Amino acid sequence: ADWYNEQLINDVRFFDDNTRSLWDALTGGANIVALNEILEPFDIQFGDMTVAGDMHIGPNKLYFQSGSTIMKAPVGSMVLRTELSHITSAKGNNKKKK
């Protein structure tokens, strides 16, 4: 999934030279709030934690650039669990999270 995190949105604020004003992102890469509303009947919910890092699926290694975590899923769902870095700001502060 993509991400939505208010702290990150505030951290990516920038000054646009063309309009001479500060610009803010309205959402992250996706509107997680709206996705959660759509997925609610299926008992699925994304969180606001944004993560990134290397992950392994069998013998394959891949880089997960950024995305939200799955906070809720129906009993019996198959959900991949791995340790990734929790992105707390665009300035590079991060912690390891599962």
Side-chain angles (χ1 to χ4, degrees):
D2 243 315
W3 60 271
Y4 176 85
N5 180 286
E6 290 190 26
Q7 180 183 350
L8 284 176
I9 288 172
N10 290 334
D11 287 347
V12 296
R13 173 181 282 181
F14 68 95
F15 182 78
D16 179 52
D17 288 330
N18 294 321
T19 62
R20 299 194 182 279
S21 62
L22 286 173
W23 283 49
D24 295 304
L26 297 177
T27 68
N31 189 341
I32 298 298
V33 176
L35 283 173
N36 280 341
E37 287 179 18
I38 292 167
L39 295 172
E40 186 176 12
F42 304 100
D43 206 26
I44 299 171
Q45 181 180 22
F46 291 106
D48 70 348
M49 183 186 307
T50 306
V51 295
D54 292 320
M55 48 193 297
H56 299 274
I57 301 175
N60 302 306
K61 179 180 175 184
L62 61 104
Y63 182 71
F64 185 76
Q65 189 165 357
S66 69
S68 293
T69 54
I70 297 174
M71 300 304 291
K72 184 178 176 185
V75 174
S77 297
M78 296 185 73
V79 178
L80 177 66
R81 183 180 177 102
T82 188
E83 190 168 306
L84 298 170
S85 295
H86 178 191
I87 303 169
T88 56
S89 77
K91 295 175 180 67
N93 301 326
N94 59 39
K95 302 175 192 171
K96 288 282 189 181
K97 290 287 182 187
K98 285 187 176 183

